Amino acid sequence: MSEQNVGMTKTTPQQVIIATLAGLFAPLLAIFLVIQLVLGIQSGHSNKVTADTSDTAVIERIKPVGEVKVVDANAPKVEKSGEEVFNAVCTACHTPGALGAPKYGNKGDWGPRIAQGYQTLIKHAIEGIRQMPARGGDAELSDTEMARAVAYMANSAGAKFTAPEPAAAPAPAAAAAPADAAKK
Ligand code: HEC
């Protein structure tokens, strides 16, 4: 009995130390992991909110909606100038000459096209022709804005087209009036 006890007490201190260390370490590890988890969740949330949601996604989602509302609410639609339309839409293809588009300011590219006449060019720009998408791919552009953009580009290459002035825009004004009335 006593020898057995001695034998047991010989091994016990090591076991006690191991058990004590393990007993201390296990909860500490658990607490550490819980803290890591909480911090990880928090940083994940804050990253999404600051970087993704608020900066990129929210701005991108709010912007088009705001623009559409402004266009609908203001009775006389504020129409862009030819230069503004060009810089917003047409420049993508007509500055580098992508897909064979006549380059801005290039008389060789535009000469034969200008010879077709202003109205034909406007028609082709609005309806699209071959690789040229209808309204340059932006369905929101009005006929007046298209005519101005065509004049802006053609005049850069030697044409002398007179772009429609804001007052001479009966179609968009008429289209905007019912939309405005419907809002009220
Ligand atoms: C996706 C590229 C692209 C965009 C954006 C684009 N165009 Fe074009 N455009 C072309 C191509 C390509 C042609 C040449 C088509 C052909 O003759 O085969 C062309 C030709 C034209 C022509 C000459 C048509 C004719 O009868 O010769 C006009 C005018 C024109 N574009 C106006 C515009 C205007 C205005 C915008 C902006 C609102 C615009 N384009 C945006 C690609 C584009």
Side-chain angles (χ1 to χ4, degrees):
M1 279 288 275
S2 66
E3 275 190 14
Q4 266 181 351
N5 280 344
V6 168
M8 280 175 78
T9 47
K10 265 185 187 171
T11 54
T12 307
Q14 292 169 345
Q15 285 177 337
V16 165
I17 290 166
I18 289 167
T20 308
L21 287 179
L24 283 173
F25 182 72
L28 282 177
L29 181 67
I31 290 166
F32 176 74
L33 288 176
V34 167
I35 290 170
Q36 287 290 306
L37 180 67
V38 170
L39 290 179
I41 290 170
Q42 278 180 345
S43 66
H45 274 292
S46 63
N47 275 351
K48 268 179 198 160
V49 168
T50 50
D52 294 337
T53 317
S54 65
D55 284 348
T56 322
V58 165
I59 289 172
E60 271 183 16
R61 280 175 199 158
I62 284 173
K63 227 182 175 182
V65 171
E67 278 168 15
V68 169
K69 274 183 184 168
V70 166
V71 168
D72 282 348
N74 293 347
K77 179 185 166 187
V78 180
E79 304 210 282
K80 294 194 197 82
S81 71
E83 186 178 359
E84 284 168 341
V85 173
F86 174 80
N87 285 332
V89 180
C90 323
T91 184
C93 297
H94 283 275
T95 296
L99 308 168
K103 280 189 205 164
Y104 177 84
N106 187 312
K107 291 188 180 174
D109 284 0
W110 277 100
R113 298 184 188 269
I114 290 167
Q116 299 177 104
Y118 189 27
Q119 293 310 318
T120 305
L121 289 181
I122 293 172
K123 188 171 182 285
H124 288 166
I126 288 173
E127 293 173 0
I129 178 170
R130 291 177 286 267
Q131 298 273 52
M132 162 74 199
R135 294 183 197 271
D138 185 347
E140 303 248 314
L141 292 175
S142 72
D143 290 1
T144 308
E145 287 172 322
M146 288 303 296
R148 286 182 190 164
V150 170
Y152 177 76
M153 270 199 284
N155 290 353
S156 78
K160 294 206 164 44
F161 298 147
T162 312
E165 290 303 312
D180 190 51
K183 287 239 161 184
K184 287 169 188 168

